[in-house]
Amino acid sequence: MESLDLRVLEDALQWARAGHRVELATVVQTWGSAPRPPGALLAIREDGQLSGSVSGGCVEDDLIARAKAGWNAPSTAPASPRLVVYGVDQEEAARFGLPCGGTLRLVLEPVSDTGWIEHVLQRTAAHRLVARTLDLRSGRVSCRDAVRGESLVFDGTTLTTVFGPKWRLLLIGAGQLSQAVAQIATMMDFEVLICDPREEYVCVGDLPGVQRLAGMPDDVVRELIPDAHTAIVALTHDPKLDDMALLEALKSAAFYVGALGSRRNQAARKERLAEHFGLSADELSRLHGPVGLAIGARTPAEIAVSILAEIVQVKNAAVLRAHAEPAQSSCLTSS
């Protein structure tokens, strides 16, 4: 579950609380070249306002028309979840903008009870995975803890979707490069955190949506308890700050750990971390440095692009590996 889809749930919750009628559409199966993957979400308000997407646009237009028609005629207003299929033949696929004859199956459900949305948002905000199951026949919803590797399951009558925490990025250092990385990362919907204890940088880089964390970097990393949805990048060029943060980061569950510096500096850094702090070869092998993809970047903005590109590359590879591995035994149902 992408964090953009969590934003769809946030919008649906806000609209429902404000008294609007809301319907959720979930992509459950695709064939051919479908625009959005299974699990993608769309929220539709009774006035036609949308949050999220399930296609390139034409399907959304039809969903708006369906919703308005139902809500304007109370006797036919949607009362229970239902399955809708688009693009069953070439003509319909072309009509709805599905490339290469793609087919899209959606589950549509009216949002009558927001309790499960609140539950999912609370759990994911605490960086926990949640599996939510919908019974299409009764409309009943249940939630439980999920484990990494679980994915969407739809058998025609029940739909289980997995909601994961927002991807987050901790930057060590608040200089010009960190600011450029933070700006791009927020546009990509990362939760961005910056730590820099240097007095000269206390007032630098107050960016919208970016949280400053007080304290020494190694303490901040430990307190953050990095998980598999966390990336950590050291950008101060000061070994006293970067090395201590990396010492904690490389022992954590963070999916990505990177550090600024030349190949010579990285070799010296690994030697220090091994000799003075006892990091193993496996732990040191997790360090991405020089940080970022080799795209010939020179300016802070270009280097920021290379860093985020590598983080996304590693993130997506980790997601594919998690989905390929068999899920472990599921957790107990949570209240």
Side-chain angles (χ1 to χ4, degrees):
M1 170 59 63
E2 293 295 324
S3 52
L4 288 174
D5 292 319
L6 292 177
R7 185 179 299 173
V8 173
L9 293 184
E10 292 171 354
D11 289 339
L13 178 60
Q14 180 182 358
W15 293 344
R17 284 175 172 174
H20 291 285
R21 288 170 292 185
V22 183
E23 193 166 30
L24 277 179
T26 304
V27 177
V28 294
Q29 287 178 319
T30 63
W31 290 270
S33 182
R36 294 298 314 279
L41 279 179
L42 170 74
I44 315 166
R45 216 165 71 174
E46 85 276 3
D47 59 0
Q49 187 166 333
L50 300 177
S51 176
S53 66
V54 293
S55 79
C58 293
V59 168
E60 281 81 353
D61 291 342
D62 186 68
L63 289 172
I64 291 172
R66 286 173 181 256
K68 286 184 174 181
W71 282 323
N72 289 334
S75 61
T76 61
S80 59
R82 62 211 184 276
L83 182 66
V84 177
V85 181
Y86 289 94
V88 293
D89 54 36
Q90 290 284 348
E91 182 179 349
E92 187 174 87
R95 173 190 169 200
F96 290 111
L98 299 173
C100 303
T103 300
L104 195 63
R105 299 183 78 190
L106 307 175
V107 165
L108 303 181
E109 56 178 305
V111 178
S112 54
D113 178 11
T114 60
W116 71 267
I117 300 180
E118 296 170 359
H119 177 90
V120 167
L121 293 177
Q122 289 170 0
R123 290 300 181 94
T124 53
H127 272 253
R128 298 180 66 174
L129 288 168
V130 182
R132 180 247 184 182
T133 298
L134 168 68
D135 187 322
L136 272 67
R137 293 164 297 191
S138 65
R140 182 178 177 275
V141 172
S142 60
C143 294
R144 61 172 173 81
D145 289 339
V147 295
R148 286 185 60 80
E150 285 191 78
S151 57
L152 182 146
V153 176
F154 179 62
D155 63 8
T157 57
T158 59
L159 168 65
T160 298
T161 47
V162 178
F163 296 86
K166 193 169 186 177
W167 298 96
R168 62 182 172 180
L169 170 62
L170 171 62
L171 301 174
I172 308 301
Q176 186 180 29
L177 176 56
S178 294
Q179 294 176 57
V181 173
Q183 286 180 303
I184 299 173
T186 53
M187 292 173 61
M188 298 173 67
D189 207 40
F190 277 82
E191 175 187 355
V192 182
L193 313 168
I194 291 182
C195 172
D196 195 326
R198 296 173 296 183
E199 294 182 1
E200 300 86 350
Y201 290 85
V202 169
C203 298
V204 174
D206 290 329
L207 301 172
V210 177
Q211 182 182 356
R212 293 290 293 263
L213 301 178
M216 294 299 292
D218 52 330
D219 293 331
V220 166
V221 173
R222 277 195 302 272
E223 293 167 3
L224 189 64
I225 311 178
D227 61 6
H229 283 75
T230 305
I232 301 171
V233 183
L235 299 173
T236 71
H237 253 319
D238 183 344
K240 296 189 300 294
L241 299 177
D242 286 348
D243 285 7
M244 297 308 294
L246 294 171
L247 172 64
E248 298 298 331
L250 291 170
K251 295 187 293 184
S252 76
F255 77 88
Y256 179 95
V257 180
L260 189 66
S262 66
R263 283 183 170 79
R264 175 185 290 182
N265 287 341
Q266 298 296 344
R269 185 197 309 278
K270 288 185 176 182
E271 187 175 339
R272 288 194 305 269
L273 291 173
E275 291 185 1
H276 300 296
F277 300 104
L279 287 188
S280 69
D282 287 342
E283 289 169 333
L284 291 171
S285 69
R286 300 184 57 222
L287 178 61
H288 293 267
V291 69
L293 296 182
I295 60 173
R298 295 185 180 277
T299 67
E302 290 177 348
I303 297 171
V305 168
S306 76
I307 292 173
L308 265 301
E310 185 173 57
I311 290 174
V312 170
Q313 182 184 62
V314 174
K315 172 180 76 74
N316 290 346
V319 170
L320 289 174
R321 284 197 304 272
H323 286 170
E325 295 170 358
Q328 302 172 9
S329 58
S330 59
C331 301
L332 295 176
T333 300
S334 56
S335 57

